[in-house]
Amino acid sequence: MSAVRDWALLRVMTLPFSRRTLLGTALAGLATAAGAGAPAISLRPQLRPADLEKAAARSRPKAPDAQALIDQAKLGGDVGYAVIDVKTGALLETHNADTGFPPASVAKAVTALYALSTLGAGYRFRTRLIATGPIENGVINGDLVLAGGGDPMLDTDALADMAANLKAAGIRAVTGEFRVFDGALPFVRVIDESQPDHVGYNPSLSGLNLNFNRVHFQWARGANGYTVTMDARSAKYRPEVHVARMRIANRAAPVYTYKDAGDHDEWTVAAQALGKGGARWLPVRYPANYAGEVFATFARSHGIKLERVRPQRGTPHGTALVTHNSVTLNKILRGMLKYSNNLTAELVGMTATAARRGKVTSLATSGHEMSAWARSELGMTNAALVDHSGLGDTSRLTAKALARAMAKVSPEGALAPLLKPFMMRGADGQINKSHPIEVLAKTGTLYFVSSLSGYSTDPDNRQLAFAIFTGNEAKRRALGDSAQERPPGTAAWNKRSKRLQQQLIERWHAVYGS
C-alpha cells in the first residue's frame, strides 16, 4: 500500500464524529437512563487519552521505511535529506543531513532570499542612453553610450523602444562614437567551464546583456543547400547580427565547434546533423557588442546613423536621454525560479553583492559573499557556493541547513509565493492534480545530481519545510570531458531520483501528519 493511501486511510480513521452523531448518542443515553436508571459505575472501562493514542498507532497502516525507499531507488552515490515542522520548528527526520551536496539549481532559492534582503522586492534594473556632450538642434556633440545596469531581462523589444524614444527626444545625429558600457558588473565568459560550448544555459555575463545572451540560430534546407540565419529574435522583430556567425561544415561530428574571433563568435555546425531544418538558441560571448549591434539597427531605422560599436572603458558621464526600467525584482525572481534561468540568478546575485560591498570583482567572490550572508543571516552552517545559479558543481549545501533556512523564512512569506508547484504523481506515473499533498519547491538538476527543497502541506494544513539532495559522484566523474548535452543514463537516473523525492514527502506526511 502506498504512503498516500496509508495517509488517506489514517485520515478517515481519525475523522471527528458529526454533530448529528453526537446528538443521537446523547439522546439515546438519556432515554436509557430514564427508563432503567443509570448504573452506579461504568459497565465498560473508559479509554484514557494515552490508550487512544496507542490504539490509533496499532491500527495505523505502517509508512514505508525511508532506507527501503532509498534502496529501491537504486541511485548509488549518496542521499541526504532533512524535514522540519514549520509551526513548531521541530526537526522531524534526517538522513546524511550534515553532508555537503552540490545543490544544483536549488541554490537559486538562496539567491532569491539574498537579493530580496539586499535590494528589496521593488528594485528595478536600469539601462540608459547617455549623451557625453551637449546637444544642439538634435545633434549630440559627443558620444552616445548604451549603458547597462545588469538587467537580466533586457530584450530586443526593449532596445527597439529605446531607439524610438531617442528619436522622440529629438535626436537625429551623433558627432562622436557609439559606445557600450558593461562595467556595472564584471564580465564572465562562461558560468561553468566544464559545460559544452554550445549550451544556451551557460552564457556569458556582463553589465549589459540581451535576450539572456543567446542568439537564435535557424537553418532550412533548400534546392541549393542550406540557408542559415543568426538573429536577435523577439515576438516583434528579427534583426540579424554579425557578432555571432555560423558556417556549415561537411562532417558528421562534432555537431558544433566554437572559436573566439576577437570581436565576434565563430561557430560551425555539422551538415549531417541538420536534417531538413530547425532552430536553437546558442550562447553569446560578446554580450555588450551584441546589445550594441541590435540597438544600432533600430536607431538606423529611425534615421539615426551610428558607427561601429566601441567599448566604453570607464563609467560614462553626461545626460541620460532615455532610461529603460526593468520589471520589479520580485517578478524577475519568480521567473528565475520558475524557469531556472542561470543568467538571471548570476546577474541578480552579483548585483546584490555590488550593493552590499560597493563593487564585485568576480562571480566566485560574489558566490563567497552570498555564502557568508547565508551563514550569518539564515544559519546555513558550512554553506559554500561558487556562484548564484548552482551550475558549478563544486558548490556545497547541507540538507539540514537548507531545511532550517526554509523553515526560518516561512513566516515572512517572501519565498513561498515565488516557488512553483512540484507536481505530485499517481501510481501510474502521471501527474495527479488531486493529490492531497501540495508542494511548492525549487528543483535542481545536474548530470547525476537531483535536488528538491521547499514546502509541503497536507489537507490538515500541516506544513513541512524540507531539503532533499541526491548525487552519484562516481557516475559524474565517469563522464569526463565528453561534453555531451544528455549523457546516457542521466534521464533514467533523474526520473528515479524524483520518484524517491515524492515518496519521501508522502512518507513524512504519513508518519508526522495529523
Side-chain angles (χ1 to χ4, degrees):
M1 183 177 294
S2 71
V4 175
R5 292 175 57 194
D6 294 348
W7 179 87
L9 179 57
L10 173 59
R11 170 135 173 83
V12 172
M13 293 169 58
T14 57
L15 284 175
F17 290 110
S18 68
R19 185 180 179 198
R20 180 179 297 175
T21 303
L22 290 172
L23 289 174
T25 303
L27 291 174
L30 289 173
T32 302
I41 60 173
S42 172
L43 299 178
R44 180 177 297 173
Q46 300 298 303
L47 288 174
R48 293 169 295 179
D51 297 323
L52 288 171
E53 291 177 5
K54 291 179 181 179
R58 286 193 297 270
S59 62
R60 181 184 296 140
K62 187 177 180 181
D65 178 72
Q67 187 60 54
L69 294 175
I70 293 171
D71 293 342
Q72 291 167 12
K74 297 181 179 179
L75 299 175
D78 296 307
V79 174
Y81 66 75
V83 58
I84 293 175
D85 186 302
V86 170
K87 184 176 182 180
T88 66
L91 183 63
L92 302 177
E93 186 174 303
T94 66
H95 181 85
N96 289 337
D98 293 314
T99 300
F101 284 82
S105 285
V106 163
K108 293 182 176 72
V110 181
T111 300
L113 293 170
Y114 180 57
L116 286 171
S117 174
T118 304
L119 303 173
Y123 181 86
R124 295 175 187 268
F125 294 86
R126 293 189 310 165
T127 305
R128 298 176 297 161
L129 287 170
I130 299 173
T132 65
I135 302 170
E136 297 179 2
N137 298 320
V139 178
I140 299 174
N141 292 299
D143 298 336
L144 177 67
V145 183
L146 175 62
D151 185 359
M153 307 303 292
L154 189 70
D155 61 9
T156 294
D157 290 350
L159 291 184
D161 290 342
M162 292 184 73
N165 290 336
L166 185 66
K167 176 68 174 180
I171 302 302
R172 57 185 181 84
V174 178
T175 62
E177 296 178 323
F178 173 50
R179 296 181 174 271
V180 288
F181 175 70
D182 65 355
L185 296 175
F187 173 76
V188 180
R189 182 185 174 277
V190 292
I191 301 171
D192 180 18
E193 291 284 356
S194 69
Q195 300 293 329
D197 283 329
H198 61 276
V199 293
Y201 59 77
N202 190 34
S204 296
L205 311 169
S206 81
L208 179 58
N209 310 276
L210 178 66
N211 298 335
F212 303 112
N213 290 342
R214 298 180 304 175
V215 63
H216 189 263
F217 163 47
Q218 183 168 324
W219 66 93
R221 188 167 64 189
N224 298 317
Y226 287 97
T227 57
V228 171
T229 58
M230 302 282 273
D231 60 57
R233 183 162 306 202
S234 72
K236 297 180 181 179
Y237 307 101
R238 296 185 181 183
E240 290 195 26
V241 298
H242 300 283
V243 73
R245 306 172 192 180
M246 179 65 72
R247 179 175 62 83
I248 298 175
N250 185 22
R251 64 170 187 264
V255 176
Y256 292 98
T257 67
Y258 170 79
K259 178 184 177 182
D260 184 337
D263 63 354
H264 66 274
D265 300 324
E266 285 191 0
W267 294 92
T268 71
V269 61
Q272 296 178 41
L274 293 180
K276 293 182 178 180
R280 71 169 294 156
W281 291 90
L282 293 170
V284 170
R285 305 301 178 203
Y286 287 87
N289 286 3
Y290 179 42
E293 182 181 359
V294 172
F295 176 80
T297 297
F298 289 120
R300 285 194 297 271
S301 72
H302 293 289
I304 306 171
K305 185 179 179 181
L306 300 177
E307 299 299 330
R308 185 169 67 89
V309 178
R310 297 183 181 276
Q312 171 72 28
R313 299 301 181 189
T315 302
H317 299 284
T319 303
L321 302 177
V322 176
T323 298
H324 170 77
N325 293 312
S326 73
V327 297
T328 56
L329 179 63
N330 61 334
K331 293 181 180 179
I332 292 174
L333 294 176
R334 184 176 293 112
M336 176 192 79
L337 293 172
K338 180 177 181 180
Y339 299 107
S340 204
N341 186 273
N342 293 329
L343 174 139
T344 301
E346 305 299 2
L347 296 179
V348 164
M350 286 197 292
T351 300
T353 297
R356 285 170 57 84
R357 295 300 181 191
K359 65 176 182 178
V360 54
T361 57
S362 70
L363 178 57
T365 57
S366 187
H368 295 158
E369 178 68 21
M370 187 172 79
S371 300
W373 174 87
R375 293 191 295 268
S376 172
E377 301 300 319
L378 300 179
M380 296 184 68
T381 306
N382 298 325
L385 300 166
V386 299
D387 57 32
H388 303 286
S389 66
L391 188 58
D393 67 356
T394 57
S395 289
R396 291 293 183 270
L397 293 178
T398 69
K400 185 189 294 183
L402 183 55
R404 281 181 169 162
M406 289 289 186
K408 181 177 181 178
V409 302
S410 178
E412 303 168 3
L415 183 61
L418 304 181
L419 297 173
K420 70 176 183 179
F422 176 79
M423 304 307 298
M424 302 289 272
R425 297 179 180 272
D428 59 358
Q430 301 301 310
I431 291 175
N432 180 8
K433 294 183 179 180
S434 61
H435 195 287
I437 302 174
E438 294 182 357
V439 180
L440 293 173
K442 182 70 192 79
T443 61
T445 304
L446 297 171
Y447 299 146
F448 297 111
V449 169
S450 180
S451 53
L452 183 73
S453 183
Y455 307 97
S456 60
T457 307
D458 62 27
D460 288 323
N461 207 34
R462 185 168 196 182
Q463 187 180 64
L464 306 179
F466 65 87
I468 306 171
F469 293 136
T470 64
N472 191 319
E473 196 62 32
K475 286 186 175 292
R476 282 187 61 78
R477 285 196 301 268
L479 295 176
D481 297 324
S482 59
Q484 297 182 68
E485 206 165 342
R486 294 181 181 85
T490 54
W493 188 94
N494 188 59
K495 184 177 180 180
R496 296 197 302 275
S497 180
K498 291 189 178 300
R499 185 185 303 120
L500 172 62
Q501 291 162 2
Q502 171 167 328
Q503 290 172 332
L504 288 172
I505 293 170
E506 290 171 339
R507 167 190 155 73
W508 297 331
H509 282 279
V511 174
Y512 306 107
S514 302

